[in-house]
Amino acid sequence: MTRLIIWRHGNTDWNAESRVQGQTDVPLNDLGREQARAAAPVLAALRPDAIVASDLRRAADTAAALAAVTGLPVRTDARLRERHFGRWQGLALTEVAERFPDDFARWRAGDPDPGAGIENLDDLGKRLGAAFRDAADLAAGGTVVVTTHGGGARQGVGHLLGWDHAVLRSVGSLANCHWTELRHDDVRGWHLRAHNVGLITQPALTDAV
């Protein structure tokens, strides 16, 4: 049985401002660093065998908090980056709604390819799903913690589980520094064991931010 823990990064100033991050390399803020430090001992108690992180600072620095507790190195994988949000990156969601009303409406409705240079959800799911599988292969039969981003996490999980977009839209986003637990065995394949687990109940911001 292989256990995969998919951990969303801690809070950033852009999260707090509802500003679209996408693949912009925004660092953790003080709250995000504290969230990572608080969650690290809980995840360390799961006895991870490997840690893999997106190379964007907010994810890599979140993973570093767990590495400091476990002594494990952090491997980085650029495939674990957040969805690319094209011309929206750096804009507040209110600005997006004003400047790109048609694309924004399609995105809100769940269109997998809403325009504005935004990465297609199918491509995102395949990218993250492949990275998740490779991470899990680092410790087959053990536990791997993967630190990534909200939108990427959901689509990658959906890809592994074989869920379509309609099903994924009914699954809530991960809150900052919360995680999803998947397990894999030769009989059942990938299956979901827990979702949005964390220390403090908090609203999950939209995947774009």
Side-chain angles (χ1 to χ4, degrees):
M1 178 80 71
T2 301
R3 178 166 55 181
L4 189 62
I5 304 297
I6 300 166
W7 189 23
R8 187 185 179 191
H9 63 78
N11 193 261
T12 71
D13 287 343
W14 283 23
N15 284 147
E17 297 168 4
S18 293
R19 189 170 298 278
V20 181
Q21 294 181 126
Q23 294 188 6
T24 308
D25 198 9
V26 182
L28 296 174
N29 57 22
D30 289 343
L31 173 60
R33 286 187 286 272
E34 178 55 35
Q35 289 171 331
R37 284 193 295 266
V42 179
L43 291 173
L46 300 179
R47 294 176 170 262
D49 299 288
I51 305 170
V52 186
S54 159
D55 60 346
L56 297 179
R57 282 180 294 170
R58 57 192 184 273
D61 289 350
T62 298
L66 179 59
V69 176
T70 62
L72 293 169
V74 177
R75 302 168 187 252
T76 57
D77 187 338
R79 293 176 299 172
L80 293 169
R81 290 182 179 187
E82 180 59 288
R83 184 183 192 182
H84 195 284
F85 273 86
R87 295 192 294 276
W88 293 9
Q89 292 189 165
L91 299 178
L93 284 177
T94 52
E95 294 174 308
V96 170
E98 291 173 0
R99 297 188 193 183
F100 303 90
D102 294 337
D103 298 336
F104 183 73
R106 286 196 294 272
W107 174 71
R108 290 291 298 270
D111 188 330
D113 191 10
I118 298 172
E119 185 175 5
N120 183 287
L121 284 181
D122 291 326
D123 294 339
L124 177 65
K126 290 175 184 177
R127 171 165 65 85
L128 269 293
F132 288 168
R133 287 193 185 93
D134 288 348
D137 287 344
L138 293 172
T143 297
V144 178
V145 176
V146 175
T147 309
T148 185
H149 308 265
R154 181 158 63 176
Q155 292 304 132
V157 166
H159 184 77
L160 290 187
L161 297 175
W163 292 357
D164 62 27
H165 298 307
V167 174
L168 281 178
R169 277 181 58 76
S170 69
V171 178
S173 300
L174 283 175
N176 286 118
C177 253
H178 283 50
W179 57 89
T180 294
E181 180 180 337
L182 299 178
R183 296 200 186 185
H184 183 276
D185 61 52
D186 293 337
V187 176
R188 297 179 60 188
W190 288 104
H191 51 282
L192 179 68
R193 292 297 297 266
H195 177 65
N196 207 29
V197 179
L199 298 181
I200 301 172
T201 301
Q202 58 175 304
L205 299 171
T206 178
D207 291 334
V209 300

